[in-house]
Amino acid sequence: MISTTRFKSFIRKVSPREKNELALCQSCSRISSITPELTGSLESHTLHLNAAALLTHSDFCGLCRLVKYQIGGAMTRTDLNHLPSTIALRQHQTPGKMWLHAYGLNLGELQWFAHPNSVAAALDKPPAYPKVTTRELSLLRSCAEDCLLGDRKCSSLRPSNIDAPSIPPLLPHRVIDIGDASSEHRLRLHDSAIDERAFYTTLSHRWGNVVMFKTTQKNIKDFHTYLNFNALPISFKDAVTVTKALGIRYLWIDAICIIQDDRSDWIKQAPLMGKIYKNAYCTIAAHSAQDSLDGFLESESAPNPVKVAPCQSTEGPGTLCIGIPRSFKETIDCSYINQRGWVLQELTLSQRIAHFSSGYIYWDCPHTNSPLSIGNTTEQSIQASRARKAPGTGANFSESWLDLVTNYSKCQLTYGKDKLVAISGIAAEWQSRLGEGPGGRYHSGVFECTLPQSLLWFSGGGLLKRVKRRAPSWSWASVDGHLQFMNTRRARAVATFKVERTVGKNGALTNSSRCLLTGHASITKGSITAERVHYGAEDYSAENFLRAGGAMITGFHLDIPGYSRRAQASIDDGSGNWKTTTVYCARVCTMQLEWEESVFQRDFLLILKPLHPASTRFKRIGVGSIFTPHWPHPAHWSAAQDFVIV
């Protein structure tokens, strides 16, 4: 290990030209004056005097952007953002790491890395962007073979009472035939025969704005004869390389294996994508590729780490970087594909996943408690893949589904019409685990066994956008935007609901947006005023209203005659441009709370608007909450009645 004294001699001054190349602001560029361990008499290094300066410089300074990412949540907290505070680096108990310190708290960690043009061993720092070599791919193959064919017995493809090798799955309709390991890159598109079985890999990737290579009706005939490896985008080339290294002959990539300008082919293949990923030998997750033109075996495009200080060692010049400590959690949180809607389904259903991120590989399969780092080791992750969360049973099933929908609502889709299609594979898989029992019916993104809790969604930040004719108004799939659900974990349902699927003239199910929800609940009139309130917080703990991790947002004041004024409403069109202030409130769930030695009752409401006066058919326009003392008399609600939400 290199000594601190010796390392100080390696740090040299940064020239103006190098500062521009390093893309640091003037304040952050002074970091070259400190040692990586922050040892000796130096207790702190100030990056910025306040959060405002950090935010201003984050537009062009890579280190500021990194710091902003790590402590951004603290800067938005109402109890902290009014306090003046310096943004500083503090000494860490682990050599090579630093604490990010602000508001009197250690808010996150950073770590020193060595850029690839440095001699990492001489600097005693892990490489910033390690390359995936044949060694790491060989280790990955061993891990995959042990998972499927070895002693682990973790594969769903292998019957538990047979010790023979796993039976290969049915091939998807089209796959890319990459040949055997000894052949050159001679690729072609292969149409699978009925009942043809073989192992295959799948690629989970981010398309980007433009897909430069895809199968169309014009080129599909040529692709059956020859697929030019050299013409493939880098991500596709990398997927071929990994597949061949795993000893697998076939590869499935959506852009190539589905005809992209043939709607009929898309309609046939889209519902099968969940099974395609579930049955794959391994899913290759290209986390560090911005799009198909960016590779994931060797990539410096990720914003972490950031070059900060040129240095000189006895072996030659180098560059130090600062980044977020590497772990599986960091890989997922900073991933380019993490925000893609289809990826949630792909990684949820895949049995075995090889996560690739800037030279790091993580193996995730049914027998791993947490993803394993392969080759270039990283910190032991304490977080298992969130995408592999099991659905559970009973109340746990509802919680798992609502958590999944919350994560899904944060993702982006190129085509909004895919909102329900891109999660249909997960729904089908989870529905199969529910069996034929009551509550297993699914429609428009909602399982009946999750009612009424799955109806109580609202904005998780920002405005929601209602999309016509995609789903009924009561479904979360009827809007675009980040969602969260009311915290009804300890609440008792006081309303019943049932999904009614309407049938067309020929007996076929009609469009999802025509699906009806019949309900039986107490309904009362109320009015919404323009007065803004802190939705979910009031004078009481937000935990009583919001789910864990939920964001406190601003809502409207809800007034129900004869009830406490501590009531709120979140309108789906939160802009406040709605015209009707008179609404109908359906009581869905209730719970008792103790606060300052008093007992209160909290009721969770659906905010409805009748289709026309005196109609028992309503359209959902939001959700609400009312908070009333339980003593000396509990809140009184009228008798339940039947109604329909369209």
Side-chain angles (χ1 to χ4, degrees):
M1 178 179 291
I2 192 168
S3 67
T4 301
T5 304
R6 184 184 172 196
F7 193 92
K8 289 181 179 179
S9 64
F10 290 167
I11 302 295
R12 56 185 171 86
K13 293 183 178 180
V14 183
S15 67
R17 180 171 177 269
E18 288 173 325
K19 285 182 181 179
N20 292 332
E21 291 177 349
L22 296 176
L24 297 181
C25 65
Q26 184 177 6
S27 179
C28 286
S29 66
R30 293 196 296 268
I31 199 170
S32 61
S33 65
I34 68 172
T35 66
E37 286 78 9
L38 285 176
T39 55
S41 60
L42 185 61
E43 292 293 333
S44 177
H45 176 81
T46 299
L47 291 177
H48 286 285
L49 296 177
N50 51 60
L54 173 69
L55 295 175
T56 299
H57 291 90
S58 64
D59 291 336
F60 64 89
C61 175
L63 184 55
C64 286
R65 283 195 298 272
L66 201 64
V67 173
K68 175 185 173 183
Y69 172 82
Q70 281 291 72
I71 67 173
M75 290 189 293
T76 60
R77 286 177 53 182
T78 56
D79 59 336
L80 293 178
N81 60 18
H82 66 283
L83 297 174
S85 178
T86 59
I87 311 297
L89 299 176
R90 288 284 182 90
Q91 188 173 2
H92 197 285
Q93 63 272 20
T94 303
K97 286 188 177 182
M98 299 161 282
W99 285 114
L100 272 172
H101 188 87
Y103 308 108
L105 302 170
N106 290 330
L107 299 174
E109 294 177 305
L110 293 179
Q111 182 174 345
W112 288 95
F113 293 90
H115 195 268
N117 65 7
S118 306
V119 183
L123 298 180
D124 193 36
K125 297 290 171 287
Y129 304 100
K131 300 177 182 179
V132 175
T133 66
T134 54
R135 171 183 171 272
E136 284 76 47
L137 292 179
S138 177
L139 292 172
L140 176 64
R141 177 172 180 169
S142 298
C143 191
E145 289 177 346
D146 182 51
C147 172
L148 190 66
L149 306 174
D151 298 330
R152 303 288 187 176
K153 296 185 179 182
C154 59
S155 173
S156 63
L157 299 177
R158 180 194 358 214
S160 58
N161 60 340
I162 297 178
D163 290 330
S166 298
I167 300 174
L170 291 171
L171 281 177
H173 179 58
R174 296 186 195 91
V175 288
I176 303 169
D177 185 351
I178 67 173
D180 56 36
S182 61
S183 66
E184 296 295 329
H185 289 310
R186 181 74 184 183
L187 281 57
R188 67 182 183 88
L189 193 60
H190 172 70
D191 281 353
S192 307
I194 297 177
D195 296 332
E196 183 177 1
R197 292 179 177 272
F199 290 118
Y200 64 92
T201 62
T202 53
L203 175 65
S204 182
H205 67 111
R206 186 175 185 265
W207 281 47
N209 295 328
V210 179
V211 178
M212 304 300 295
F213 197 97
K214 58 187 177 183
T215 296
T216 64
Q217 297 180 74
K218 184 178 180 179
N219 62 24
I220 186 172
K221 184 177 181 180
D222 294 334
F223 283 1
H224 278 107
T225 303
Y226 177 64
L227 264 172
N228 187 356
F229 176 82
N230 294 324
L232 294 178
I234 301 178
S235 276
F236 294 3
K237 289 182 180 179
D238 287 350
V240 171
T241 299
V242 174
T243 301
K244 184 163 289 191
L246 289 172
I248 305 300
R249 178 167 182 167
Y250 298 106
L251 166 65
W252 190 91
I253 300 177
D254 48 8
I256 297 179
C257 297
I258 298 177
I259 306 174
Q260 296 302 310
D261 60 351
D262 186 343
R263 181 65 181 171
S264 62
D265 190 58
W266 167 253
I267 292 175
K268 292 178 183 177
Q269 300 301 317
L272 303 176
M273 289 175 66
K275 288 186 177 180
I276 290 174
Y277 281 91
K278 178 185 176 183
N279 295 331
Y281 180 84
C282 174
T283 290
I284 302 165
H287 287 281
S288 54
Q290 299 184 62
D291 50 40
S292 61
L293 301 178
D294 187 20
F296 55 86
L297 294 183
E298 180 180 350
S299 175
E300 293 187 30
S301 61
N304 172 38
V306 176
K307 301 177 187 178
V308 294
C311 62
Q312 182 71 37
S313 72
T314 55
E315 280 77 12
T319 302
L320 286 173
C321 301
I322 288 181
I324 301 170
R326 285 287 182 178
S327 68
F328 180 76
K329 181 181 185 300
E330 184 276 327
T331 295
I332 292 296
D333 288 349
C334 298
S335 170
Y336 284 113
I337 67 174
N338 189 40
Q339 299 302 318
R340 181 172 171 254
W342 283 97
V343 167
L344 182 69
Q345 173 170 278
E346 294 165 7
L347 300 188
T348 298
L349 297 178
S350 297
Q351 295 297 299
R352 289 162 294 279
I353 309 170
H355 301 274
F356 287 84
S357 178
S358 298
Y360 291 87
I361 307 176
Y362 303 88
W363 176 255
D364 193 11
C365 70
H367 70 260
T368 55
N369 293 325
S370 61
L372 303 175
S373 177
I374 295 178
N376 295 304
T377 58
T378 63
E379 292 186 352
Q380 179 64 33
S381 174
I382 60 173
Q383 173 182 319
S385 171
R386 67 168 175 80
R388 302 200 68 261
K389 188 173 183 179
T393 58
N396 289 333
F397 181 93
S398 296
E399 292 299 321
S400 297
W401 182 252
L402 298 188
D403 287 343
L404 187 141
V405 169
T406 300
N407 286 325
Y408 182 60
S409 71
K410 303 174 186 177
C411 299
Q412 301 170 354
L413 289 165
T414 304
Y415 304 104
K417 63 180 181 293
D418 295 340
K419 188 86 170 186
L420 288 169
V421 181
I423 203 173
S424 61
I426 302 177
E429 173 68 16
W430 287 26
Q431 188 176 36
S432 68
R433 302 186 187 187
L434 285 175
E436 301 294 332
R441 297 177 64 195
Y442 170 87
H443 200 77
S444 300
V446 174
F447 286 96
E448 281 198 353
C449 63
T450 66
L451 294 171
Q453 289 83 0
S454 56
L455 303 177
L456 298 173
W457 49 266
F458 62 105
S459 170
L463 298 179
L464 300 179
K465 180 183 178 181
R466 180 79 68 179
V467 180
K468 296 181 179 179
R469 294 184 294 277
R470 187 170 69 191
S473 68
W474 48 266
S475 168
W476 57 265
S478 66
V479 299
D480 283 335
H482 178 194
L483 297 175
Q484 59 185 341
F485 290 83
M486 289 182 170
N487 184 6
T488 56
R489 287 185 174 91
R490 295 189 291 116
R492 172 175 58 90
V494 290
T496 58
F497 294 92
K498 184 179 181 181
V499 177
E500 300 290 346
R501 297 192 244 189
T502 57
V503 180
K505 294 181 179 179
N506 298 324
L509 294 176
T510 60
N511 190 297
S512 293
S513 63
R514 301 289 300 276
C515 184
L516 305 177
L517 185 71
T518 60
H520 185 73
S522 176
I523 299 179
T524 188
K525 276 188 177 183
S527 61
I528 299 175
T529 67
E531 179 185 351
R532 296 274 186 167
V533 293
H534 212 41
Y535 195 45
E538 306 168 334
D539 300 326
Y540 313 99
S541 171
E543 295 177 358
N544 295 331
F545 178 75
L546 301 174
R547 295 169 64 81
M552 290 184 289
I553 64 172
T554 301
F556 296 98
H557 177 74
L558 175 63
D559 184 21
I560 301 179
Y563 293 85
S564 165
R565 291 184 57 84
R566 295 193 184 100
Q568 309 157 325
S570 174
I571 304 301
D572 297 342
D573 177 13
S575 62
N577 295 327
W578 33 271
K579 298 179 181 180
T580 305
T581 57
T582 300
V583 296
Y584 287 78
C585 305
R587 184 179 180 231
V588 174
C589 297
T590 187
M591 65 186 298
Q592 289 187 11
L593 302 169
E594 294 184 5
W595 187 72
E596 291 188 354
E597 300 182 356
S598 298
V599 179
F600 295 83
Q601 177 175 313
R602 174 151 249 164
D603 294 303
F604 301 88
L605 315 171
L606 275 177
I607 309 298
L608 309 172
K609 176 184 177 181
L611 298 185
H612 55 79
S615 173
T616 57
R617 289 189 167 225
F618 297 88
K619 177 181 179 181
R620 174 209 154 106
I621 62 172
V623 293
S625 170
I626 186 168
F627 194 89
T628 54
H630 193 69
W631 184 90
H633 302 291
H636 175 73
W637 289 86
S638 59
Q641 63 184 76
D642 295 327
F643 60 99
V644 175
I645 309 177
V646 301

